[in-house]
Amino acid sequence: MNNYEITKERIRPEFLKYSQEDMIRRFGLDYSEKYLYLDFCGARYRIERSTGVVEKSPEGDGDFRRGAVPGNYEEVLSIYDILCYSRPEAALSGRWCLVNSLPGVGQNNGLGDNAVQRYEQEIDRYPEAFREACGELGGREVPMGDMGYEIPVFPFFPLRLRFYYGDEEFPAQLSVLFDENTLQYMHYETTYYVVNCLMGRVHEKILKKTGGF
């Protein structure tokens, strides 16, 4: 078991200390006697109520009859954090900024605003595949950059992707914008996990549409 899996297992009992009834009420979760259900980055997850184990449906579509896939470290930590840490008074502001411009965040926290640079050439080469991928993730087009999409990473919590095409003077540029009140919903470190999960899903969809970068 690697360190990520060890950390995931160590944190799992902490999830069980929080009121699941409050989670259901606050976030409008679907639930059964055995599971809580939550959509994240275009896929359906379930949380076993007695153990806190997080699993994803094999195709992400919510059909668990074919079994379930264990959530990875970033998926699980993102889900735990927003369900457990989110403040009771958390509310979206409707104002958007880069992660290191969030109120209370210093400029040298280590994560930075450039975690998505590795996807820029791919999107520049396959813009239509990017558009389709964002749409399939529930994204709606917004007027920013050359292409802009607002995507509900959780049903109640969106991110925005802003993209500029490259030209002779400047390379392609992708930015992720967060609501100014993001830190009412999750820790700063968790923003990195959420972005990785979202862009991993976008990348998978682009690959399926194009056959590879």
Side-chain angles (χ1 to χ4, degrees):
M1 184 179 290
N2 62 37
N3 288 337
Y4 291 114
E5 290 298 312
I6 292 171
T7 302
K8 186 177 76 173
E9 288 303 303
R10 179 177 56 80
I11 292 174
R12 180 163 58 86
E14 295 299 311
F15 171 83
L16 299 174
K17 297 178 182 179
Y18 290 81
S19 168
Q20 295 177 16
E21 287 71 24
D22 284 350
M23 296 175 192
I24 291 167
R25 176 182 51 81
R26 290 187 60 204
F27 302 109
L29 304 182
D30 293 333
Y31 65 96
S32 66
E33 184 176 349
K34 188 172 183 179
Y35 295 105
L36 304 177
Y37 297 92
L38 177 65
D39 293 328
F40 175 49
C41 290
R44 187 74 155 174
Y45 293 77
R46 69 184 185 187
I47 308 166
E48 190 169 28
R49 300 183 68 169
S50 63
T51 65
V53 169
V54 178
E55 299 173 316
K56 180 171 61 178
S57 56
E59 301 299 324
D61 57 3
D63 185 355
F64 288 96
R65 292 173 297 180
R66 296 188 297 273
V69 179
N72 67 33
Y73 173 82
E74 292 182 323
E75 293 167 336
V76 171
L77 270 291
S78 297
I79 289 170
Y80 283 167
D81 202 34
I82 203 160
L83 292 181
C84 298
Y85 171 78
S86 184
R87 300 178 192 173
E89 73 277 12
L92 299 173
S93 70
R95 298 182 297 274
W96 300 88
C97 63
L98 297 171
V99 68
N100 277 348
S101 297
L102 290 170
V105 173
Q107 295 300 305
N108 296 302
N109 279 270
L111 302 186
D113 298 310
N114 300 314
V116 295
Q117 285 182 333
R118 62 186 181 275
Y119 300 106
E120 291 168 341
Q121 292 184 29
E122 180 180 63
I123 296 171
D124 204 36
R125 184 173 179 181
Y126 300 117
E128 289 307 312
F130 173 71
R131 291 181 189 275
E132 292 175 13
C134 290
E136 291 172 7
L137 292 170
R140 65 180 183 89
E141 199 163 359
V142 292
M144 54 171 46
D146 294 322
M147 291 189 289
Y149 281 88
E150 182 174 313
I151 299 175
V153 290
F154 293 100
F156 47 86
F157 184 86
L159 293 183
R160 286 188 172 186
L161 300 180
R162 180 182 65 197
F163 183 75
Y164 290 97
Y165 293 110
D167 57 25
E168 293 80 6
E169 294 186 57
F170 300 101
Q173 183 183 64
L174 175 66
S175 300
V176 182
L177 302 179
F178 289 82
D179 187 273
E180 282 188 0
N181 288 347
T182 289
L183 298 186
Q184 295 179 7
Y185 289 87
M186 65 185 71
H187 291 87
Y188 173 75
E189 292 78 9
T190 305
T191 64
Y192 186 74
Y193 304 150
V194 171
V195 169
N196 279 348
C197 292
L198 173 60
M199 291 311 304
R201 200 64 49 81
V202 170
H203 173 66
E204 288 173 5
K205 289 181 175 294
I206 291 175
L207 286 180
K208 287 182 180 178
K209 296 174 187 304
T210 62
F213 179 48

